[in-house]
Amino acid sequence: MTLHRTVLPVSRDLEQTPAQPLPVGLQLRQLRQQARLSQLDLALQAGLSQRHLSCVETGRAQPSQGLLHRLLDNLQTPLEVRNRVFLAAGYAPRYAALPLNDPGLAPVRTALLHLLEANNPAPAIVIDSGWQVLAANRATEALFQWLGLPRQAVAEGFNLLAALLAPGGFGDCLVNAAEIRQVAWQRASREAGQDPGLAALLASLPCPEVSAMAPDLASPLLLTRVAGPHGELSFLSTFTTFGMPQDITVASLRIEHLIPADEATWQALAQACAQQAAANLD
């Protein structure tokens, strides 16, 4: 399968450290506090004494690489942040960040292509930690065409967060825009704590208004409701991520699937994809 947009390499200077990095003990303490764990809780989970952990956090003991690995595993620390902690302790970073077009990530690219293709005629996109769309399937392009949005946005790539929050984007096509924008803002705000680039993007976008609508308790999920020229489409939103990633690029990727929530939406998407395929043959 050929993607409608070439998957772009993810480029980051992952070994760059702050001008004045915090000592490793203080970084571990901050991560533990963010995880809302006491010293005793973390020590029990990582298999060491509370006294030893206290000495590590205060700088009276130097953690070994094995101990750092256990602590960061139990704290579920993002791989990029783990690299910074290892550097602060005087060790080399453990995790690489290969560009997505690297030969070593060929199995990852194959898996992404398979998942995108399998999702047709339902839209699916691959996004990175900055909410940048790296690839999309045929159904996504068909949906954009159905909504009257520029098809080149799919071909050239766009930022999903900006498309949802900024005026004139995909967010303006949503029936329940206030609810979806609020959920997107809250999620991005949580993620921005570990991603300065995402934090900068979020600061440049308008903060959504708080929805005055009461949640629809009759539905088990918040639906993405899209208004188009031929009626309303309703979608369930799910995410797929790679299990047990050992590369920062791979860990940053997720696929968002927009799964039709009713038969009318399935039929509309199937028809749109068929029309698009016929047009491409002409």
Side-chain angles (χ1 to χ4, degrees):
M1 183 185 83
T2 301
L3 290 175
H4 287 270
R5 175 172 183 263
T6 303
V7 178
L8 298 178
V10 178
S11 59
R12 298 178 186 172
D13 185 6
L14 295 166
E15 296 188 8
Q16 183 178 358
T17 56
Q20 293 181 335
L22 292 175
V24 61
L26 289 181
Q27 290 193 39
L28 288 171
R29 175 179 290 176
Q30 287 184 353
L31 291 169
R32 176 178 60 76
Q33 291 172 343
Q34 290 170 9
R36 300 183 182 277
L37 290 175
S38 67
Q39 279 189 345
L40 179 58
D41 290 334
L42 180 57
L44 289 173
Q45 292 179 20
L48 71 158
S49 69
Q50 182 181 357
R51 177 179 175 81
H52 189 182
L53 178 58
S54 176
C55 289
V56 169
E57 289 189 352
T58 57
R60 289 177 291 170
Q62 172 69 11
S64 67
Q65 292 189 60
L67 176 56
L68 279 181
H69 185 71
R70 295 205 311 276
L71 291 172
L72 296 171
D73 259 358
N74 281 281
L75 292 169
Q76 299 182 349
T77 308
L79 302 187
E80 190 169 353
V81 177
R82 296 188 192 201
N83 274 353
R84 294 202 294 266
V85 174
F86 276 100
L87 280 170
Y91 303 119
R94 293 177 63 99
Y95 302 98
L98 297 174
L100 199 49
N101 58 3
D102 188 276
L105 295 188
V108 173
R109 294 194 302 275
T110 300
L112 293 174
L113 290 169
H114 172 74
L115 289 169
L116 290 177
E117 177 66 18
N119 216 68
N120 286 313
I125 56 176
V126 179
I127 57 178
D128 64 13
S129 59
W131 292 56
Q132 187 66 27
V133 176
L134 303 179
N137 65 355
R138 289 180 289 106
T140 303
E141 186 173 339
L143 176 62
F144 269 53
Q145 186 174 8
W146 186 81
L147 294 173
L149 295 172
R151 292 177 61 182
Q152 63 267 27
V154 178
E156 298 172 2
F158 62 97
N159 187 278
L160 179 60
L161 188 62
L164 287 172
L165 298 178
F170 180 67
D172 289 350
C173 300
L174 299 176
V175 175
N176 55 341
E179 293 174 287
I180 298 299
R181 283 170 166 157
Q182 201 171 334
V183 170
W185 180 274
Q186 291 169 351
R187 176 167 187 159
S189 297
R190 292 192 298 269
E191 296 171 352
Q194 305 285 1
D195 190 328
L198 179 58
L201 172 63
L202 199 61
S204 71
L205 295 172
C207 180
E209 298 180 1
V210 177
S211 173
M213 298 176 60
D216 182 8
L217 300 181
S219 174
L221 295 169
L222 175 62
L223 300 180
T224 300
R225 298 168 56 202
V226 181
H230 307 296
E232 180 180 318
L233 303 182
S234 296
F235 298 93
L236 310 173
S237 179
T238 67
F239 289 95
T240 298
T241 59
F242 286 97
M244 297 179 288
Q246 296 297 305
D247 178 274
I248 294 172
T249 299
V250 177
S252 75
L253 299 175
R254 62 180 183 261
I255 298 179
E256 180 169 9
H257 310 261
L258 288 179
I259 303 174
D262 52 50
E263 186 60 30
T265 302
W266 275 114
Q267 292 180 0
L269 265 296
Q271 182 179 2
C273 285
Q275 291 174 348
Q276 182 199 56
N280 290 337
L281 292 176
D282 294 340

